[in-house]
Amino acid sequence: MIKMVSSDLDGTLLTGGSQTIPEEIFSLIKELKDMGILFVAASGRQYANMRNLFLPVRDDMAFISENGGLAIQNEKLLYCDSFDKDLVMEIIEAIHEKKDAEFSCSTKDFYYIMPKTEHYRHLMVEEVKNQCRIIESLDEITDPCMKVAVYERNGMTEESIRYWRERFGDRCTVVTSGFAWVDFIPFTTNKAKGIRKYQEILGIGPEECVAFGDEYNDIEMMKSVKYSFAMKHAKQGVREAAAYEIEEVAPVLRKLIQAGGNIKEIF
């Protein structure tokens, strides 16, 4: 029987660039909770942003944010990773110096950003609605950082991804996190870390867990459960890492609820 369901957000629950969780998902999360199944939102997004997205059900679920850098349930901090400060600054400086590249530096409560364009400021503050601290100098970055991200408006090309991996891949994990983003995180940080923490708390194993994702930063999470689902639009490597392919998350959740948590009945 399934005891935990985890899902990525952008490209998985949020499709087509949407910044709003479908209303149906809220009712499904409540039904899962009533069945004793914990729903975990697992994303590269910041916790404050995720909490707002799931406002109607935020107390009925759990969160893994910053690609596994932070795990919180019912406002209780389960763990919070930190990144080597010197490496953080080196990455940020490299992003800031690169044409058409923007950075965000994730702390527990907000993002440091230093927008080069109004587009990026609007995206982060007005569209995605992140909690941001806009700075004018890199010297203003003083809080511990969990993750650094680089944004390239026109999308991450294979050339750009290779550039960032060759430059920093020997010192941290460099992973795509959507169409226009690459994340830099400590080697020990990934979404699976959060999944294992919740498995430990619930006293359950991988065979009692389901995970949904679409990007390379979801692969470790998929490997930490028995029943992993990749979106059909996911990159080939992500689809190969998953046990199943789907077009939408909600229909699978509905079937799981109808089956009383017995996932074997939905195939």
Side-chain angles (χ1 to χ4, degrees):
M1 300 296 284
I2 297 303
K3 296 297 182 183
M4 183 170 74
V5 173
S6 58
S7 179
D8 170 56
L9 299 189
D10 296 282
T12 303
L13 282 184
L14 299 172
T15 57
S18 174
Q19 298 297 324
T20 306
I21 300 293
E23 285 291 326
E24 180 185 11
I25 296 298
F26 298 147
S27 60
L28 292 173
I29 289 173
K30 286 183 176 292
E31 289 186 67
L32 289 170
K33 182 187 177 184
D34 291 341
M35 296 171 59
I37 300 174
L38 178 66
F39 182 86
V40 181
S43 176
R45 291 185 178 226
Q46 69 175 188
Y47 171 63
N49 176 275
M50 295 173 68
R51 187 174 180 271
N52 288 333
L53 283 172
F54 288 94
L55 193 60
V57 291
R58 65 186 182 191
D59 296 326
D60 300 313
M61 57 182 290
F63 298 88
I64 298 169
S65 64
E66 308 296 356
N67 273 335
L70 187 73
I72 294 179
Q73 184 179 15
N74 296 326
E75 297 303 312
K76 180 182 178 181
L77 178 65
L78 304 181
Y79 70 80
C80 180
D81 286 347
S82 62
F83 214 161
D84 178 79
K85 184 176 181 180
D86 291 339
L87 179 55
V88 164
M89 294 309 299
E90 186 178 343
I91 296 170
I92 288 173
E93 287 170 359
I95 297 170
H96 189 61
E97 290 169 1
K98 190 174 188 291
K99 184 181 178 182
D100 300 324
E102 303 266 13
F103 78 83
S104 68
C105 175
S106 307
T107 74
K108 177 179 174 293
D109 298 312
F110 61 87
Y111 286 166
Y112 285 110
I113 61 172
M114 193 172 167
K116 298 175 183 176
T117 64
E118 170 58 19
H119 162 79
Y120 185 60
R121 187 210 65 80
H122 184 271
L123 172 70
M124 294 294 282
V125 178
E126 308 296 339
E127 188 173 339
V128 183
K129 300 186 186 305
N130 286 313
Q131 296 293 320
C132 294
R133 181 172 295 179
I134 298 175
I135 59 176
E136 296 182 359
S137 167
L138 299 184
D139 293 336
E140 295 178 53
I141 298 176
T142 56
D143 286 56
C145 179
M146 288 180 284
K147 183 193 77 177
V148 177
V150 54
Y151 170 80
E152 297 187 9
R153 182 176 183 176
N154 294 324
M156 281 292 166
T157 63
E158 290 301 319
E159 179 183 0
S160 190
I161 294 168
R162 184 167 55 250
Y163 169 81
W164 293 117
R165 284 179 174 160
E166 288 178 353
R167 184 153 185 185
F168 296 107
D170 61 334
R171 287 179 285 168
C172 64
T173 298
V174 182
V175 62
T176 55
S177 184
F179 169 74
W181 296 89
V182 162
D183 288 349
F184 305 84
I185 51 180
F187 284 128
T188 55
T189 297
N190 54 56
K191 293 181 183 181
K193 180 176 181 177
I195 296 299
R196 288 191 293 269
K197 185 64 177 179
Y198 288 116
Q199 288 172 338
E200 175 188 335
I201 291 171
L202 296 173
I204 60 176
E207 70 282 359
E208 298 171 281
C209 303
V210 173
F212 301 92
D214 77 307
E215 264 292 352
Y216 282 105
N217 63 341
D218 296 317
I219 288 180
E220 293 302 322
M221 174 173 70
M222 290 176 170
K223 290 180 178 179
S224 68
V225 307
K226 181 175 181 179
Y227 301 100
S228 54
F229 296 80
M231 307 302 288
K232 284 195 173 180
H233 63 256
K235 296 181 176 67
Q236 181 177 349
V238 182
R239 287 185 278 111
E240 289 174 352
Y244 308 96
E245 288 184 27
I246 58 169
E247 292 185 0
E248 294 181 70
V249 173
V252 180
L253 296 183
R254 286 198 300 269
K255 290 179 181 179
L256 181 63
I257 290 168
Q258 291 166 2
N262 185 353
I263 196 167
K264 294 180 180 179
E265 292 186 10
I266 75 173
F267 298 115

